Amino acid sequence: MSASSDTTAQAPSRAPWLWIAALALLVIITRLWMSSAVSWDQNEQLVWSQRLRLGYGPQPPLYTWLQWAVNLVLGPTTLAVVLVKNSLIALTFVFMLLAARQVLPERTAWLAAAGLAWLPGIGWQLLRDQTHTVMLTCAIACTWWLVLRHVRNPRPLGFVWIGLAVAWGILSKYSYALVAVALLVAALSVPAPRHALLSRGFWLAPLVTLALVAPHAWWVLEHWDKASGSTLDKLHPADTPSRLHGLATGSGDLLAFLLLAVLPWLLMAAYTLGRFWKTPRTSAAPAASTSHQRPGTLPWVEPLLRHYAIVVVAVLALMVLAGASKFDGRWIQPLLLMAPLWVLSRWPQAGNNERGARRYLAACLAMLVLMCSIAMLAPLRDAQRGNGDRLNWQLDAIAASLRQAGFNGQGMILAEHHTTGGVLHMLFPQAKVVVCDADDPGFHLGCAWRKAEKARAKGLPLLQVSTETPAPDAWWWAAWPIGSMPERRVYNLPYRWTDPDQARMKLEFIVYPADPSAAVSTSAAVHPALHASAHNHLQ
């Protein structure tokens, strides 16, 4: 009886898993309730995920492959994009909890995982429609779990799992390479992790990684400008006046984002747990120990995490010295995802403070609720201020306008931006959506003509469309033979909740019929009352 009771008491609690699942479901429901539209990166994914390719642009392809697979089941819908993103965020908490349980007592492990809510990188991901950064964050948490588990119990199969995680990270975002290098250097600098990573079967990890990454790596070599140009331009802005100015700007950005990455959590932990750093330091006692490692004998954990952080900061500093003059918080914050685990590994008994632990978890829950509330109320706030917001687009009104103008949802859609293309792919999933970026004149002049001419040659319906900021006239003319461009129509549609007198969404488009004989009379066939009829119908 007593033995059974002890076993039950020592079993890991199910409560954290239930909380993670419940909060993930709440976030998904509130996001779907907030708006049926999507914005920015997720629209780009809707366009790219129409087909499988080895590469798509300046980001690795794994997120797009995952979105493609989900779209096969759910279609190109808001639910599909919201489900992918928020499932990855939930899995980040899951993997962090699994990692913390390898090296911390049960209660403290839960504090380390829940503390992610106070890392700005996580909160920002909840607020914005991000994609690759979300998957990168999840891959980093998973990598740490698998590495910590392997160090505690080295075996050849563990290298296979680590190889899979590294391939996942590289195919999520190229900056993961810094994580892999920093983690490897840190592990080799500490005896126990070094012995584990050099144990029998170590060659399986790089073999698995190379086998999975090689096809995309080949694509990158063949499309180097497309894969690297955007990132390099962001790190080295063309308007940097001098090397000294770039050094000062880069150093300032780096310092600010490094502090922002950890300071909010540190302040919250100090407030809720009290002066936990003044308690005597003890070795971590993981929830489950292997036969050859007794709880409380893991002195390698804190040095491993500390050395990792040092390497990451050192590499970022070297990037500044090499000329990187601009950083973005979403690039840096995932790299320091392990900050709560690092600090708590120094004081693993912090979770024994029951009152402090309750306050800590309440603060984490409050932060998640606050982030979700801000995200949910942002479109309403923008509407009340008269600001056009992509999440306030009325998708039904857009679809109705285009159908009334003669577009039947088939053929090809030529969009001026991924935001437009993603929305129209949701509205007309049977049509092929192509994007010729109107902000890149050197690109769209060739792209628009090739795509439009292909549709005309096949007798397909063609919808050339731009939204919000008008595309330049050259973008429209580029798709048509000289003197034969059909009538371009302009609708001003109301935003949801917004006073139409303050802001309207501009929808410009050309509908080209599938029947070539109707193309000559396209302009004349459009009755002048059509615009007014559609406009009145949508008020």
Side-chain angles (χ1 to χ4, degrees), residues 216-251:
H216 175 64
W218 183 261
W219 180 91
V220 170
L221 291 176
E222 292 187 333
H223 304 81
W224 179 250
D225 290 341
K226 182 184 293 187
S228 63
S230 176
T231 301
L232 294 177
D233 289 343
K234 291 176 181 177
L235 286 171
H236 307 277
D239 58 354
T240 303
S242 65
R243 175 66 186 275
L244 182 61
H245 181 274
L247 183 62
T249 304
S251 301

Side-chain angles (χ1 to χ4, degrees), residues 52 65 87 225 300-302 305 391 466 491:
L52 285 178
W65 294 346
S87 295
D225 290 341
W300 50 267
V301 176
E302 191 277 333
L305 292 162
L391 294 181
S466 105
Y491 287 6

Side-chain angles (χ1 to χ4, degrees), residues 286-305:
S289 61
T290 63
S291 58
H292 61 280
Q293 284 182 308
R294 298 191 308 275
T297 59
L298 300 177
W300 50 267
V301 176
E302 191 277 333
L304 173 64
L305 292 162

Side-chain angles (χ1 to χ4, degrees), residues 68-90:
W68 172 85
V70 174
N71 288 356
L72 288 181
V73 179
L74 300 177
T77 61
T78 307
L79 174 60
V81 295
V82 169
L83 185 63
V84 170
K85 173 197 167 182
N86 289 286
S87 295
L88 289 170
I89 292 177

Side-chain angles (χ1 to χ4, degrees), residues 1-7:
M1 184 72 175
S2 175
S4 177
S5 299
D6 292 343
T7 301

Side-chain angles (χ1 to χ4, degrees), residues 117-301:
W118 275 81
L119 299 183
I122 299 293
W124 189 242
Q125 290 167 13
L126 289 171
L127 289 173
R128 296 292 302 273
D129 284 344
Q130 292 184 330
T131 52
H132 298 88
T133 301
V134 176
M135 180 171 272
L136 169 67
T137 306
C138 189
I140 293 173
C142 181
T143 302
W144 273 101
W145 165 49
L146 292 173
V147 168
L148 293 176
R149 187 180 69 165
H150 181 75
V151 175
R152 293 190 61 225
N153 185 20
R155 51 179 181 163
L157 184 59
F159 288 112
V160 175
W161 288 112
I162 291 174
L164 288 171
V166 173
W168 174 12
I170 294 174
L171 292 174
S172 298
K173 203 171 178 70
Y174 298 126
S175 57
Y176 177 89
L178 173 55
V179 175
V181 170
L183 183 49
L184 178 61
V185 172
L188 293 177
S189 69
V190 182
R194 180 171 65 248
H195 293 154
L197 290 186
L198 297 178
S199 61
R200 183 169 58 92
F202 72 91
W203 52 272
L204 290 170
L207 179 64
V208 170
T209 299
L210 288 173
L212 295 176
V213 173
H216 175 64
W218 183 261
W219 180 91
V220 170
L221 291 176
E222 292 187 333
H223 304 81
W224 179 250
D225 290 341
K226 182 184 293 187
S228 63
S230 176
T231 301
L232 294 177
D233 289 343
K234 291 176 181 177
L235 286 171
H236 307 277
D239 58 354
T240 303
S242 65
R243 175 66 186 275
L244 182 61
H245 181 274
L247 183 62
T249 304
S251 301
D253 278 357
L254 179 59
L255 180 61
F257 287 125
L258 286 175
L259 290 175
L260 187 61
V262 296
L263 194 57
W265 177 82
L266 285 174
L267 294 175
M268 182 276 294
Y271 176 76
T272 57
L273 296 175
R275 299 181 178 181
F276 62 89
W277 58 89
K278 290 191 174 183
T279 60
R281 288 180 55 184
T282 57
S283 297
S289 61
T290 63
S291 58
H292 61 280
Q293 284 182 308
R294 298 191 308 275
T297 59
L298 300 177
W300 50 267
V301 176

